[in-house]
Amino acid sequence: MWAMVTLDGLTVTYRDRPTLHGVSGSFAPGSLTAVVGPNGAGKSTLLKSILSLLPIAQGSLQVHTPRSRIAYLPQQSAIDRSFPITVHDCVLLGAWQAAGALGGLSNAVLDEADAALHTVGLCGFAQRPISALSAGQFQRVLFARLLLQDADLILLDEPFNAIDSKTTAELLALVADWHARQRTVIAVLHDHSQVHQHFPQTLLLARGVVAWGDTAEVLTPQHLGQARLLGESWDDHLHAA
């Protein structure tokens, strides 16, 4: 089977230190994969590398779909919510690839934006400024934007962090629907019980690959202990420095 994303000895550095080192493997088309690991393991770095937002120091990374067919949800902390934009306009940003810088938006696209807001449970919120939303409501807006992008490859960086359980459950249902529609989804997560319940594949990172495959075989006490020890060794190195 061909791969959606292929990594071969991928090494990415930050301030002359490797944040990812020698990562090899592939994400199959239509796969649903959680990326887990200790803080500083390179999880967000992996997503940004797939997007070509970070330079590769060694090895290679190939993405077998056009950039226009990739959707990315960054961590909420990376988004400036003070920008004066309405919920509806924020969702419509998901259609910019189709419209272009100077292109107009068709009635069909406007209807799709309304439908996406309905899907995420935000009917009646279209004209509210995003600055007035709760964290959970804003995350629903970002998922509606992803729906409008209709991408082949979807990258989610901590999509359920600091949001309520009801919103999390409803957004997980959207992720399951993408998986059923054979979208490739890669999500950085911290909640291992959530991973066990909803993500059939898991990549356990600790700057390098600790384990990668079926979730039940990856999230074992042995593998998690190995990743934890690696994370502690980074902390010890920083304190020594």
Side-chain angles (χ1 to χ4, degrees):
M1 181 184 293
W2 66 279
M4 178 62 77
V5 180
T6 304
L7 315 170
D8 185 7
L10 177 68
T11 297
V12 179
T13 60
Y14 178 70
R15 293 181 178 175
D16 299 325
R17 296 181 184 274
T19 54
L20 284 175
H21 182 70
V23 176
S24 296
S26 62
F27 296 92
S31 58
L32 175 56
T33 307
V35 181
V36 302
N39 291 336
K43 303 182 294 294
S44 296
T45 296
L46 176 64
L47 299 191
K48 291 175 182 177
S49 298
I50 292 172
L51 287 161
S52 299
L53 297 178
L54 296 174
I56 295 172
Q58 293 181 12
S60 65
L61 186 156
Q62 294 182 319
V63 181
H64 304 284
T65 194
R67 179 64 182 84
S68 60
R69 300 296 301 162
I70 304 174
Y72 172 51
L73 179 67
Q75 296 178 25
Q76 276 209 32
S77 59
I79 301 174
D80 180 8
R81 289 180 55 191
S82 66
F83 190 78
I85 187 173
T86 66
V87 165
H88 194 254
D89 286 344
C90 185
V91 172
L92 285 172
L93 290 174
W96 76 270
Q97 291 276 10
L102 300 177
L105 294 171
S106 66
N107 288 333
V109 171
L110 296 175
D111 289 343
E112 287 176 15
D114 290 336
L117 285 172
H118 175 78
T119 298
V120 300
L122 288 180
C123 288
F125 282 72
Q127 297 309 314
R128 294 193 188 185
I130 60 172
S131 59
L133 303 179
S134 69
Q137 290 168 341
F138 184 56
Q139 200 72 337
R140 290 174 186 266
V141 171
L142 297 179
F143 266 73
R145 188 172 70 182
L146 292 173
L147 287 170
L148 212 62
Q149 288 183 258
D150 193 29
D152 296 324
L153 173 59
I154 302 168
L155 308 176
L156 309 173
D157 197 350
E158 300 188 16
F160 312 118
N161 190 34
I163 61 175
D164 61 276
S165 58
K166 182 177 184 295
T167 297
T168 296
E170 293 177 0
L171 296 183
L172 277 166
L174 286 180
V175 172
D177 183 66
W178 286 328
H179 182 46
R181 294 171 183 268
Q182 292 297 296
R183 312 298 190 189
T184 305
V185 182
I186 306 171
V188 171
L189 298 170
H190 290 284
D191 186 333
H192 291 175
S193 63
Q194 196 176 80
V195 174
H196 275 293
Q197 291 177 44
H198 301 284
F199 290 78
Q201 298 286 308
T202 297
L203 165 58
L204 176 56
L205 272 180
R207 300 191 181 174
V209 176
V210 176
W212 192 348
D214 292 342
T215 294
E217 297 176 3
V218 171
L219 294 184
T220 64
Q222 179 182 2
H223 290 150
L224 292 171
Q226 183 180 351
R228 184 175 59 254
L229 288 173
L230 287 168
E232 290 171 354
S233 71
W234 309 329
D235 292 338
D236 291 342
H237 178 75
L238 286 174
H239 289 318

